[in-house]
């Protein structure tokens, strides 16, 4: 049975002096050449299923043939996790600054060019080591030497990022509001998406917008492109550049299901087996039809009116053009107007998630749907 270590990482302090802490579990693999992995959950407060998945992973990994190192961090954001209002967990945005908790990670693209100039002819090993050190020192500098201080969210994010940069593979476990499972996957890693038991994949470009997945794959993608511009060709996903990061959307917020979490954990083990992080051939992807589409084709549908929404469109199934996604009830119009309004689209789409409440204002995001999708 594999042993894991457990540490408590301090990520900030509350007004009363109480320490904000995050548990960090780690397994050591036996093969230095194998890819290493970082998995975190619950950066957004209401998105709790990932904690249950980490529980199941800890249970299963103790009996795996571990090759690479694996670090697991549940409750990654202790403020968001405890941010309740009435019956609900909020925790998508820092309540003080209003900034999305998953937009505070760091990447400064200006470090790429000088690095490539300095290490143009270096060995692959040296490039990998030195660039990883550079990314770590960038985050370290932010944490230790910010003259003007850091926001609470940056302080949490950078400490998580310091762990993530030490790994080759990063899985950030989230959920949608009311949602089907889906995977955000860098475009170059499309082939890896079929090792997860997730039916829908959104392929994302090399644009850094502050999220954990981007903060850990964009630097390497940009580095690879900078080398290519100077005539040295590497392939993303291979050799030095075997760096993959995913945001794994595990379903709906505000709920855990330990049985589903077991399935989600098996899905992650199937991917880790494919990557050689574990050597357990029993973990294989399930047979299923997997659809993918590009981020530009992952569209939000905003409500044309206020009202009470009956969400009609089923997740994950192609919805024909003209079929209604929702019907909106307007009791103020009953008797002297239209009490029911149907909303449909002029193209076939796959509905992925919808808003968590039935009552919406005009302009509330009703559904997110995948257009121009294709089979993986
Ligand atoms: Zn999230």
């Amino acid at each position: 049975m594999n042993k894991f270590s457990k540490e408590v990482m301090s990520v900030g302090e509350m007004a009363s002096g109480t320490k904000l802490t995050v548990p960090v579990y780690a397994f050591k693999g036996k093969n230095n050449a194998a890819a290493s992995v970082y998995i975190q959950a619950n950066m957004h407060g209401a998105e709790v299923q990932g904690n249950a998945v980490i529980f199941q992973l800890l249970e299963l990994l103790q009996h795996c043939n571990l090759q690479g190192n694996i670090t697991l961090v549940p409750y990654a954001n202790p403020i968001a996790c405890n941010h309740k209002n009435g019956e609900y967990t909020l925790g998508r945005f820092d309540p003080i600054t209003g900034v999305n908790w998953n937009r505070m990670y760091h990447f400064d693209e200006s470090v790429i060019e000088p690095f490539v100039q300095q290490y143009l002819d270096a060995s692959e090993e040296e490039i990998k080591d030195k660039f990883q050190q550079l990314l770590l020192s960038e985050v370290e500098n932010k944490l230790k030497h910010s003259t003007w201080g850091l926001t609470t969210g940056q302080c949490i994010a950078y400490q998580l990022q310091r762990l993530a940069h030490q790994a080759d593979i990063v899985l950030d476990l989230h959920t949608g509001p009311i949602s089907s499972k889906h995977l955000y996957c860098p475009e170059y890693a499309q082939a890896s998406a079929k090792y997860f038991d997730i039916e829908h994949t959104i392929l994302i470009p090399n644009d850094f917008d502050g999220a954990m997945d981007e903060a850990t794959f964009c630097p390497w993608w940009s580095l690879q492109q900078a080398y290519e511009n100077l005539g040295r060709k590497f392939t993303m996903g291979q050799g030095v550049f075997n760096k993959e990061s995913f945001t794994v959307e595990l379903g709906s917020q505000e709920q855990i299901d330990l049985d589903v979490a077991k399935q989600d954990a098996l899905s992650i083990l199937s991917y880790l087996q494919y990557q050689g992080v574990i050597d357990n051939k029993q973990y294989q992807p399930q047979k299923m039809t997997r659809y993918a589409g590009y981020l530009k084709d992952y569209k939000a549908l905003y409500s044309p009116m206020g009202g009470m929404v009956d969400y009609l469109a089923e997740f994950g199934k192609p919805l024909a053009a003209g079929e209604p996604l929702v019907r909106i009830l307007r009791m103020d119009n009953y008797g002297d107007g239209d009490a029911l309004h149907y909303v449909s689209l002029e193209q076939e789409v796959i509905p992925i998630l919808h808003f968590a409440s039935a009552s919406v204002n005009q302009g509330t995001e009703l559904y997110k749907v995948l257009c121009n999708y294709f089979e993986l």
Side-chain angles (χ1 to χ4, degrees), residues 42-99:
N42 210 179
M43 191 61 192
H44 287 139
E47 303 177 9
V48 289
Q49 174 73 358
N51 299 315
V53 174
I54 287 181
F55 165 79
Q56 298 288 16
L57 281 171
L58 284 164
E59 295 278 297
L60 291 161
L61 285 168
Q62 290 177 71
H63 307 283
C64 283
N65 182 6
L66 287 179
Q67 302 298 305
N69 297 335
I70 306 178
T71 302
L72 304 107
V73 178
Y75 307 142
N77 183 344
I79 297 186
C81 189
N82 294 304
H83 187 181
K84 305 289 290 189
N85 196 342
E87 300 157 55
Y88 299 102
T89 316
L90 304 178
R92 185 168 183 78
F93 305 95
D94 179 335
I96 296 171
T97 61
V99 180

Side-chain angles (χ1 to χ4, degrees), residues 185-191 204 217 220-221 236-237 241 243-245:
C185 170
E187 286 173 8
Y188 67 81
Q190 184 180 324
I204 57 179
F217 77 69
W220 294 93
W221 198 345
M236 284 308 294
F241 292 93
K243 297 279 178 178
E244 295 192 342
S245 304

Side-chain angles (χ1 to χ4, degrees), residues 43-44 47 92 100 102 173-176 247 249:
M43 191 61 192
H44 287 139
E47 303 177 9
R92 185 168 183 78
N100 185 325
N102 191 25
L173 309 183
H174 285 248
T175 79
T247 298
E249 302 276 350

Side-chain angles (χ1 to χ4, degrees), residues 193-264:
K194 56 180 179 293
Y195 290 90
F196 293 91
D197 298 329
I198 296 179
E199 286 172 325
H200 307 100
T201 294
I202 297 150
L203 298 166
I204 57 179
N206 190 17
D207 293 330
F208 177 66
D209 192 28
M212 172 57 104
D213 55 352
E214 299 159 354
T216 44
F217 77 69
C218 287
W220 294 93
W221 198 345
S222 300
L223 184 70
Q224 178 260 345
Q225 286 176 333
Y227 271 108
E228 194 167 313
N229 290 340
L230 292 173
R232 192 162 174 195
K233 194 141 173 55
F234 294 104
T235 305
M236 284 308 294
Q238 290 175 23
V240 199
F241 292 93
N242 189 18
K243 297 279 178 178
E244 295 192 342
S245 304
F246 303 89
T247 298
V248 187
E249 302 276 350
L250 295 162
S252 304
Q253 65 191 20
E254 293 280 31
Q255 46 186 288
I256 66 164
D257 181 321
L258 281 161
D259 297 327
V260 175
K262 177 88 180 277
Q263 296 307 312
D264 294 330

